[in-house]
Amino acid sequence: GDVSEGVAATVNGTELGEKAITAYIDNFRSSNSLADDSAWAQWMVDNGLDASGVREEVIDYYVSQELIRQAADENGVTVD
């Protein structure tokens, strides 16, 4: 992945870029009408999260996806 903005996490040697995490959060905000900072802040409060909590949730999601991809590769699993 693109690690030009730093590494968010490493999964069995595969680096997950900070850029992907930021882009995911930005897209989430845009698609959920949360581009306004006050709306975003209220959403975080309503969901019991802060900025670092949101970031951790997104990183956990990406780590899970990468682990699944690695397991599929190791076991020769392909999706048609």
Side-chain angles (χ1 to χ4, degrees):
D2 183 346
V3 294
S4 62
E5 294 178 10
V7 176
T10 303
V11 184
N12 297 328
T14 300
E15 294 178 333
L16 302 175
E18 193 68 51
K19 188 172 185 175
I21 305 305
T22 301
Y24 183 97
I25 293 168
D26 288 346
N27 289 338
F28 177 84
R29 287 181 64 177
S30 294
S31 64
N32 289 281
S33 301
L34 298 168
D36 178 74
D37 286 341
S38 62
W40 177 235
Q42 187 60 55
W43 181 90
M44 286 191 284
V45 168
D46 291 347
N47 288 279
L49 294 167
D50 59 13
S52 64
V54 170
R55 182 177 173 277
E56 288 301 316
E57 292 282 331
V58 174
I59 290 171
D60 288 349
Y61 167 77
Y62 272 91
V63 167
S64 297
Q65 294 301 317
E66 181 59 26
L67 288 171
I68 291 167
R69 188 196 65 73
Q70 290 177 10
D73 287 350
E74 289 170 11
N75 292 290
V77 176
T78 57
V79 178
D80 292 331

